[in-house]
């Protein structure tokens, strides 16, 4: 699972927007501020207090949550300022502005709170999918303990089987039986089996030779003598069986060195050797013989890879690796003589513990992801709604300011028209006496002619 960061996606936008808002009006704001410094001093002071009022939430970690309330507070202050510049704002405009600013101011504390909650959720979310994991059920040294034990058993068996004395070879047979029961999974088992068969054949040859020699000696004895010797042999064999039984072993399965003068022991050992040879001929080696080191190495490599994915927060990949581990699935099906329970159970327990931890982290990750997304969406909707209403109020103010400017222009035009009309009227009044003066000389001339 690749890490995703849901920390307030609108915050980066808010910071960029705020930077633009601060830079754009900088050139024009100085003259206006100078012209209205005395009148707007209380408002400026109030705006500074609002902007300085806990508008940025910062948290240590991969992300630092930046509160969007700065932009909202700036718009509220701008609305107050723009309203103050209107000569006579209309009642609908005042209602719109009051509604927008009141709602935004009511939501500001809640937005601040949500921003801190989102920052806390983000920190937990960043840590939910990652974190260290240690193999506590099986240590690094214990991973291949089965292989080391099997190799040690093979070497001990080989030492005895290479001896010329039958007694030492018998010890080698016993050690091979341990390998047959527990260590068929190591590669050396194939060679151990070959040595076992070769040793059985040598012992069988030796014991048959001794048995034949003893039978030859007894052949010429009187029947009573032969019978007495046979009864003595049987009694000695029975006594040996009782001794093995006291030690918790069965003479039928334990290898021992027969007395070369005891016909019963020789016959018992020869029968046992021949049964073992027939059994090994009928039962070929399991196809999984010698594969355990590779299976274990593959299984632990997969678990190491899964651990690396867990630490990196890639939980889906870790989960997939564990679930699709073919080596582990095969290990679960192995017979005890290939991989005994005492070695298998810690591995299975470790694998299960790791799988549970991955699932737990996945649940925590998805839960925090959902909470973070829902909380962020709620905050975004709140800010977006408040900002839309504030922007609408600012647009309405702009519209009324344009209308106000138009009305003032019309008043100026009307004043100019009135002054022009007054000028024309004054001109007519001045010309009337001049016309009367012009007619008077004409009348005087008429009188002179008469």
């Amino acid at each position: 699972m690749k890490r995703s960061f849901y920390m307030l996606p609108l915050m980066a936008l808010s910071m960029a927007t705020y930077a633009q808002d601060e830079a754009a009006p900088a050139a024009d704001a100085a003259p206006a501020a100078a012209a209205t410094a005395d009148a707007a001093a209380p408002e400026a002071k109030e705006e500074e207090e609002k902007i300085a009022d806990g508008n940025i939430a910062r948290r240590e970690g991969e992300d630092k949550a930046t509160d969007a309330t700065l932009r909202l507070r700036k718009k509220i202050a701008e609305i107050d300022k723009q309203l103050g510049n209107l000569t006579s704002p209309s009642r609908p405009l005042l209602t719109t502005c009051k509604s927008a600013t009141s709602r935004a101011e009511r939501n500001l504390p809640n937005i601040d709170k949500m921003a801190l909650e989102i920052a806390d959720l983000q920190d937990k979310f960043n840590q939910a999918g990652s974190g260290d994991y240690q193999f506590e059920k099986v240590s690094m040294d214990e991973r291949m303990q089965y292989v080391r034990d099997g190799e040690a058993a093979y070497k001990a068996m080989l030492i005895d089987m290479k001896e010329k004395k039958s007694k030492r070879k018998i010890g080698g047979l016993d050690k091979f039986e341990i390998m047959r029961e527990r260590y068929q999974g190591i590669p050396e088992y194939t060679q151990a089996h070959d040595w076992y068969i070769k040793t059985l054949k040598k012992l069988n040859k030796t014991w048959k030779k001794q048995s034949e020699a003893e039978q030859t000696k007894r052949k010429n004895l009187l029947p009573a003598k032969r019978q007495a010797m046979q009864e003595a042999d049987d009694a000695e064999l029975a006594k040996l069986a009782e001794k093995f039984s006291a030690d918790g072993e069965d003479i039928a399965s334990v290898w021992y060195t027969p007395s070369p003068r005891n016909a019963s022991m020789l016959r018992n050992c020869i029968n046992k050797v021949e049964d073992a040879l027939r059994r090994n001929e009928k039962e070929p080696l399991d196809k999984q013989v010698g594969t355990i080191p590779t299976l274990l190495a593959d299984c632990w490599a997969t678990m190491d890879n899964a651990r690396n994915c867990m630490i990196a927060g890639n939980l889906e990949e870790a989960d997939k690796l564990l679930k699709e581990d073919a080596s582990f699935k095969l290990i679960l099906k192995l017979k005890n003589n290939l991989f005994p329970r005492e070695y298998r159970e810690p591995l299975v327990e470790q694998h299960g513990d790791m799988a549970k931890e991955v699932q737990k982290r996945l649940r925590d990750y998805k839960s925090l992801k959902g909470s973070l997304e829902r909380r962020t969406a709620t905050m975004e909707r709140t800010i977006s709604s408040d900002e839309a209403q504030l922007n609408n109020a600012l647009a309405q103010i702009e519209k009324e300011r344009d209308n106000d400017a138009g009305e003032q222009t019309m008043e100026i035009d009307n004043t100019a028209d009135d002054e022009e009309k007054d000028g024309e009227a004054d001109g007519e009044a001045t010309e009337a006496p001049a016309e009367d003066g012009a007619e008077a000389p004409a009348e005087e001339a008429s009188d002179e002619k008469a």
Side-chain angles (χ1 to χ4, degrees):
M1 172 185 59
K2 295 183 177 179
R3 296 285 301 277
S4 301
F5 298 98
Y6 292 87
M7 175 57 70
L8 307 181
L10 55 90
M11 295 309 170
L13 177 61
S14 70
M15 292 299 291
T17 304
Y18 173 57
Q20 293 174 359
D21 291 342
E22 287 293 302
D28 299 332
T36 60
D38 296 335
E43 294 179 0
K45 183 178 180 181
E46 181 180 358
E47 180 179 354
E48 289 176 0
E49 291 177 352
K50 288 182 179 180
I51 292 175
D53 179 22
N55 55 355
I56 297 178
R58 292 176 180 164
R59 294 178 60 85
E60 294 182 357
E62 295 183 21
D63 297 326
K64 293 182 179 180
T66 304
D67 199 352
T69 55
L70 177 63
R71 194 166 70 254
L72 296 179
R73 293 179 191 277
K74 183 175 179 296
K75 289 183 182 295
I76 292 172
E78 183 66 18
I79 288 174
D80 292 340
K81 180 179 178 181
Q82 294 297 332
L83 279 177
N85 293 335
L86 293 178
T87 57
S88 180
S90 66
R91 184 178 298 275
L93 177 61
L94 292 174
T95 300
T96 298
C97 292
K98 181 179 180 181
S99 175
T101 57
S102 297
R103 173 175 174 175
E105 288 173 344
R106 285 197 308 271
N107 286 335
L108 283 174
N110 189 39
I111 292 172
D112 289 335
K113 180 181 178 182
M114 283 192 289
L116 292 175
E117 291 175 354
I118 290 171
D120 185 55
L121 282 172
Q122 179 68 50
D123 288 342
K124 293 178 180 178
F125 175 76
N126 291 344
Q127 300 173 13
S130 60
D132 193 19
Y133 177 83
Q134 296 297 327
F135 295 109
E136 298 179 351
K137 308 297 181 181
V138 181
S139 68
M140 186 67 70
D141 292 338
E142 294 171 336
R143 290 185 176 188
M144 305 300 286
Q145 186 64 45
Y146 168 80
V147 178
R148 292 195 295 271
D149 290 348
E151 290 174 348
Y154 171 71
K155 291 177 181 178
M157 179 211 77
L158 204 58
I159 290 173
D160 285 349
M161 287 189 174
K162 286 183 177 180
E163 292 291 333
K164 294 182 178 181
K165 294 182 179 181
S166 297
K167 187 174 183 180
R168 293 294 300 273
K169 290 183 179 295
I170 293 299
L173 293 179
D174 286 335
K175 290 180 174 65
F176 175 80
E177 294 298 340
I178 295 175
M179 292 196 66
R180 184 203 295 277
E181 293 176 0
R182 298 170 57 81
Y183 300 114
Q184 292 192 35
I186 66 171
E188 291 81 359
Y189 182 77
T190 302
Q191 291 87 344
H193 187 267
D194 292 341
W195 273 97
Y196 174 71
I197 298 299
K198 184 166 62 174
T199 301
L200 286 178
K201 291 180 177 180
K202 285 183 178 180
L203 290 173
N204 189 38
K205 182 178 180 180
T206 299
W207 291 337
K208 278 188 174 182
K209 186 176 180 180
Q210 291 175 351
S211 178
E212 291 173 356
E214 186 64 21
Q215 292 298 328
T216 300
K217 290 179 182 179
R218 297 183 183 188
K219 183 176 181 181
N220 297 323
L221 295 176
L222 294 172
K225 182 64 175 177
R226 289 201 304 271
Q227 181 64 29
M229 292 181 68
Q230 184 63 49
E231 290 176 358
D233 290 346
D234 292 341
E236 188 177 3
L237 180 62
K239 187 177 180 179
L240 181 62
E242 290 177 0
K243 182 180 179 180
F244 283 135
S245 180
D247 294 336
E249 296 178 317
D250 185 1
I251 195 172
S253 58
V254 175
W255 293 102
Y256 62 93
T257 304
S259 170
R261 303 295 301 274
N262 190 312
S264 297
M265 287 185 182
L266 289 168
R267 184 170 61 253
N268 178 268
C269 289
I270 291 170
N271 291 338
K272 190 186 299 184
V273 166
E274 292 179 347
D275 287 342
L277 289 172
R278 284 194 298 269
R279 185 171 62 250
N280 281 275
E281 290 176 358
K282 292 180 179 180
E283 297 177 3
L285 296 179
D286 193 293
K287 63 180 180 179
Q288 298 300 335
V289 164
T291 62
I292 299 304
T294 301
L295 288 175
L296 287 176
D298 291 345
C299 182
W300 281 110
T302 299
M303 292 176 70
D304 285 336
N305 289 337
R307 176 181 176 273
N308 292 336
C309 290
M310 288 175 65
I311 294 174
N314 196 354
L315 299 178
E316 283 87 355
E317 181 64 21
D319 186 52
K320 180 180 179 182
L321 285 171
L322 294 176
K323 287 181 177 178
E324 297 181 359
D325 187 359
S327 298
F328 179 73
K329 292 178 180 178
L330 186 55
I331 288 174
L332 292 175
K333 300 177 181 179
L334 292 174
K335 299 176 182 177
N336 286 332
N337 54 17
L338 287 163
F339 194 53
R341 185 176 291 106
E342 66 185 83
Y343 298 100
R344 183 187 353 233
E345 287 180 351
L347 173 60
V348 173
E349 188 176 357
Q350 183 66 78
H351 193 280
D353 182 82
M354 191 176 190
K356 288 179 181 178
E357 179 63 20
V358 171
Q359 290 298 320
K360 178 181 179 298
R361 293 189 185 189
L362 273 172
R363 288 193 301 270
D364 292 344
Y365 178 89
K366 292 178 180 178
S367 176
L368 286 169
K369 178 183 177 183
S371 298
L372 183 57
E373 288 177 340
R374 289 191 297 271
R375 201 62 176 156
T376 301
T378 300
M379 182 176 173
E380 286 178 341
R381 285 195 301 268
T382 302
I383 293 174
S384 178
S385 177
D386 289 350
E387 196 166 26
Q389 291 197 19
L390 293 174
N391 288 337
N392 179 60
L394 287 170
Q396 292 296 325
I397 292 173
E398 181 71 19
K399 184 177 180 181
E400 277 208 18
R401 184 167 57 246
D402 292 342
N403 292 337
D404 192 25
E407 291 176 359
Q408 290 179 3
T409 302
M410 290 179 64
E411 290 178 0
I412 293 173
D413 292 342
N414 290 336
T415 300
D417 292 342
D418 292 343
E419 290 178 352
E420 184 177 351
K421 290 178 181 180
D422 291 343
E424 291 176 355
D426 293 340
E428 292 175 357
T430 303
E431 292 174 357
E435 290 177 358
D436 293 341
E439 292 176 354
E443 292 177 354
E444 292 177 357
S446 177
D447 292 338
E448 291 177 357
K449 288 178 182 181

